[in-house]
Amino acid sequence: MARKKPEVNSCDCQGARKSRRRDAVLDAVASSDGHLSAEEVHREAKKRLPGIGIATVYRSLKCLCGCGKVSEFIPPDGVARYEAAGSRGHHDHLVCTACGCFVEAVDPEIERLQERLAARHGFRLEGHRLEIYGLCACCARKK
Amino acid sequence: MARKKPEVNSCDCQGARKSRRRDAVLDAVASSDGHLSAEEVHREAKKRLPGIGIATVYRSLKCLCGCGKVSEFIPPDGVARYEAAGSRGHHDHLVCTACGCFVEAVDPEIERLQERLAARHGFRLEGHRLEIYGLCACCARKK
DNA sequence: AAGATAATGATAACCGTTATCATATGGCGA
DNA sequence: TCGCCATATGATAACGGTTATCATTATCTT
């Protein structure tokens, strides 16, 4: 007999069960400023569940990204960073090439033009990544 | 006595010497469609200089990127890809999430708006990376 | 409570990239 | 042309973030 689908949990992935650790990972990401690396998420999550392992953090992050609760941002150094999605909505990043700081930014007009660009090439738009590199105001002043 | 600066070679990096291998790497990248991974560049370069090692390819690519002869593009999978810069000039990428194909595209208006966005946040613009994800025309048709 | 299956932790494996180090090479002055 | 010496090179070990493996535990349904 077909089993009933498990109740909704922090991850809506197909067949996923409720899990204290995944909740802890989501909470760790959601209660931070964002831009946490997996290792930093692990550190935060351990404050909630001391025994949680790094593998679980990676698995949970992947799951939470899959269901849209968390979004992944991969800066030029290739180390993935995570932030809670939804709360602040979509945004792009201005990355300082000197100090490595991030600034979040959105330009509705750019968003709109991207749709146009995708359409022009026959692409069905699903998402995008825009990163602008340069010197932040602080670093530009020092040079 | 101060030595004279060596003559210009395929890499204008400060103090760089002319080198057959670096020339081979540049040629390998330049004579392809672009979007080659380091391993693929290595394979191409070996057709020109059979004994060339992978480490030299990585070193040469870094050097060539540094002086602007080659540009690096890091897709979502994190594996760097290289293409000759200059010839076709700057462009962004439309990446198909189904088949993984790339399409090059530029929208001058987006470029301009990015400058405005950077300025608005006090950033001194140095560069940017724009990748648009979606289904290419071919894959969209199949679904 | 029992059975089925997803979740977990520890850790080995993976893999692209870099560092290391001994040797070879290029380019300059003589 | 020769010799010097900094740069370039090749082989390979090391690195580091991420994933796979596997035995065990937790969760959900009946």
Side-chain angles (χ1 to χ4, degrees):
Chain A
M1 187 189 306
R3 284 167 169 274
K4 229 186 288 181
K5 192 184 171 191
E7 72 174 84
V8 173
N9 55 52
S10 65
C11 173
D12 299 337
C13 298
Q14 204 263 331
R17 289 177 178 171
K18 188 170 191 285
S19 134
R20 261 175 306 141
R21 346 258 165 143
R22 197 150 48 215
D23 289 346
V25 169
L26 176 58
D27 190 52
V29 174
S31 63
S32 84
D33 293 16
H35 304 133
L36 297 181
S37 67
E39 199 183 342
E40 288 165 346
V41 173
H42 187 206
R43 191 151 51 235
E44 280 305 307
K46 275 197 285 194
K47 292 178 184 171
R48 294 158 175 80
L49 291 174
I52 193 170
I54 186 71
T56 296
V57 169
Y58 274 106
R59 276 185 294 236
S60 298
L61 285 171
K62 177 170 287 189
C63 181
L64 292 165
C65 283
C67 68
K69 294 246 170 51
V70 167
S71 71
E72 190 186 53
F73 159 53
I74 301 182
D77 68 3
V79 179
R81 291 181 172 275
Y82 302 89
E83 53 195 315
S87 59
R88 282 167 304 178
H90 164 75
H91 57 259
D92 299 310
H93 291 99
L94 297 168
V95 184
C96 178
T97 56
C99 70
C101 69
F102 303 125
V103 174
E104 301 175 0
V106 190
D107 186 321
E109 221 170 322
I110 292 180
E111 306 284 319
R112 194 173 48 75
L113 288 172
Q114 284 180 10
E115 287 176 33
R116 193 184 69 179
L117 183 59
R120 194 184 296 155
H121 288 83
F123 262 65
R124 187 182 301 169
L125 188 70
E126 289 179 345
H128 72 267
R129 174 164 74 177
L130 171 61
E131 287 150 32
I132 294 179
Y133 306 113
L135 293 175
C136 71
C138 180
C139 288
R141 212 176 298 128
K142 290 178 187 159
K143 293 216 169 170
Chain B
M1 190 190 303
R3 283 167 170 278
K4 232 184 288 181
K5 191 185 171 190
E7 73 174 85
V8 172
N9 54 53
S10 65
C11 173
D12 299 337
C13 298
Q14 204 262 331
R17 288 179 178 166
K18 187 172 191 284
S19 132
R20 261 177 304 141
R21 344 258 164 144
R22 196 149 49 215
D23 289 346
V25 170
L26 176 57
D27 189 52
V29 174
S31 62
S32 84
D33 292 15
H35 305 133
L36 296 181
S37 67
E39 199 183 341
E40 289 164 346
V41 172
H42 186 204
R43 190 152 49 234
E44 280 305 307
K46 274 197 285 194
K47 292 179 185 170
R48 293 159 176 79
L49 290 174
I52 193 169
I54 186 71
T56 296
V57 170
Y58 275 107
R59 277 184 293 236
S60 297
L61 286 171
K62 177 171 287 190
C63 181
L64 292 165
C65 283
C67 67
K69 294 250 170 50
V70 168
S71 70
E72 189 186 53
F73 158 52
I74 301 181
D77 69 3
V79 179
R81 291 181 172 275
Y82 301 89
E83 54 195 313
S87 59
R88 283 167 304 178
H90 163 77
H91 57 260
D92 299 311
H93 291 99
L94 297 168
V95 185
C96 178
T97 55
C99 71
C101 70
F102 303 125
V103 174
E104 301 176 359
V106 191
D107 186 322
E109 222 171 322
I110 292 180
E111 306 284 318
R112 194 173 48 74
L113 288 172
Q114 284 179 13
E115 286 176 32
R116 193 184 70 179
L117 182 60
R120 194 185 294 155
H121 288 83
F123 261 65
R124 187 183 301 170
L125 188 71
E126 290 180 343
H128 72 267
R129 175 165 72 178
L130 171 60
E131 287 150 31
I132 294 179
Y133 305 115
L135 293 176
C136 70
C138 180
C139 288
R141 214 174 299 129
K142 290 179 189 160
K143 293 216 171 170

